[in-house]
Amino acid sequence: NIYIMGHKYPDLDAMGAAVGIFDICKSCGKSAHIVLDDVNDSIEEFVKRVKKQEYYKGVFVTCEDAIKNCNKDTVVIVVDTHRPSYTECQELLNIAKKVIVIDHHRRGVEFIKDTVLLFHEIYVSSTCEMVTELVQYIEDDVRINKLTAEGLLAGISLDTKNFAFKTGVRTFEAAAVLRKMGADTITVKKMFSSSIDSYKRKTQIVAEAEIYRKCAIAPCDFYADDLRIVAPQAADELLTIKNVDASFVLFKTMSNEISISARSMGNLNVQLIMEALGGGG
């Protein structure tokens, strides 16, 4: 059996890649499941559509169920992260002896070791782009469902900020392939829709930002359930301000810790700053 999982609080790149891997497994006649405990606002619309389709019946399992059924012969495929503590269910990495990692993030200090396959490309826009390439070049005749293609395209759109950042020739080639497979761009755009309240919270964060040494810094002095989604959106928005090279949005979590969402235009490596503060994802 095969278990696929992304990082905690998954986004559309992690979930799109996971569903893409599920389709590859299904095309190869293998049974696969995606490990998912909690659905957040950023993937809610996509997950809702997946659950409605008979094609994906029973695709999602909880961490508890996955741990019960996992053994040393299980294949665990990790997408969009390479840090064990960031995965949706870290216990699976200790049980299974066959672990595959597919990721595009810059390598951190913490890393999943002893993988049977490591597909790690930091110059690629997104994990969804990498999975799309796997679909193209795998020897078996892989068939991708229309909704899977839309999930993969949504993941690429998210991590490239609508094809503006870290976008290479391969990114557009992958997008073209997904379009041929039936991905609808309007449907993809609707996956990023937010409520009016979320939009107001985002603009509130942007309005309270201050510029310091070409960095837009916005401490968020209120709590909301969707801050993990709104904060990165606000950080993206702050990068559109003139003479801003990087943005930092700080907010409190339910456990009373401080989370920081950092974004950069490329001149400043915000991951190094975040790693120095004990984070970096």
Side-chain angles (χ1 to χ4, degrees), residues 53-124:
Q53 289 200 16
E54 185 67 25
Y55 177 86
Y56 303 101
K57 190 177 180 181
V59 63
F60 296 113
V61 294
T62 62
C63 284
E64 190 181 346
D65 287 338
I67 292 166
K68 277 181 191 173
N69 297 304
C70 186
N71 57 58
K72 61 183 176 60
D73 293 322
T74 300
V75 176
V76 174
I77 304 173
V78 178
V79 294
D80 204 33
T81 185
H82 58 257
R83 300 177 66 168
S85 63
Y86 273 37
T87 56
E88 183 75 33
C89 186
Q90 189 176 351
E91 290 90 336
L92 295 180
L93 302 175
N94 302 323
I95 303 168
K97 299 298 179 191
K98 299 171 186 174
V99 178
I100 293 169
V101 174
I102 304 170
D103 188 29
H104 70 113
H105 293 100
R106 182 182 159 275
R107 184 165 178 163
V109 178
E110 189 190 4
F111 203 84
I112 298 170
K113 295 172 183 173
D114 302 323
T115 53
V116 292
L117 174 64
L118 173 63
F119 186 19
H120 189 212
E121 295 243 7
I122 61 169
Y123 301 105
V124 176

Side-chain angles (χ1 to χ4, degrees), residues 7-172:
H7 48 77
K8 289 174 184 170
Y9 311 107
D11 56 13
L12 279 168
D13 188 33
M15 195 46 56
V19 175
I21 294 293
F22 168 80
D23 267 33
I24 291 174
C25 295
K26 197 176 172 81
S27 289
C28 295
K30 302 293 178 184
S31 173
H33 298 280
I34 297 170
V35 183
L36 182 67
D37 263 357
D38 298 312
V39 178
N40 59 62
D41 288 354
S42 67
I43 61 167
E44 186 180 19
E45 183 62 31
F46 180 58
V47 169
K48 205 183 288 180
R49 290 180 186 181
V50 168
K51 284 180 176 178
K52 278 182 183 176
Q53 289 200 16
E54 185 67 25
Y55 177 86
Y56 303 101
K57 190 177 180 181
V59 63
F60 296 113
V61 294
T62 62
C63 284
E64 190 181 346
D65 287 338
I67 292 166
K68 277 181 191 173
N69 297 304
C70 186
N71 57 58
K72 61 183 176 60
D73 293 322
T74 300
V75 176
V76 174
I77 304 173
V78 178
V79 294
D80 204 33
T81 185
H82 58 257
R83 300 177 66 168
S85 63
Y86 273 37
T87 56
E88 183 75 33
C89 186
Q90 189 176 351
E91 290 90 336
L92 295 180
L93 302 175
N94 302 323
I95 303 168
K97 299 298 179 191
K98 299 171 186 174
V99 178
I100 293 169
V101 174
I102 304 170
D103 188 29
H104 70 113
H105 293 100
R106 182 182 159 275
R107 184 165 178 163
V109 178
E110 189 190 4
F111 203 84
I112 298 170
K113 295 172 183 173
D114 302 323
T115 53
V116 292
L117 174 64
L118 173 63
F119 186 19
H120 189 212
E121 295 243 7
I122 61 169
Y123 301 105
V124 176
S125 72
S126 56
T127 313
C128 281
E129 181 183 323
M130 297 168 77
V131 172
T132 304
E133 289 191 342
L134 283 176
V135 170
Q136 284 177 266
Y137 302 120
I138 202 166
E139 286 181 358
D140 299 68
D141 182 24
V142 176
R143 293 181 183 180
I144 290 293
N145 192 35
K146 180 179 179 289
L147 183 55
T148 300
E150 287 167 351
L152 289 166
L153 187 56
I156 295 172
S157 300
L158 175 75
D159 274 23
T160 59
K161 309 292 179 284
N162 289 321
F163 297 88
F165 292 95
K166 279 189 80 176
T167 309
V169 174
R170 286 163 61 181
T171 314
F172 287 104

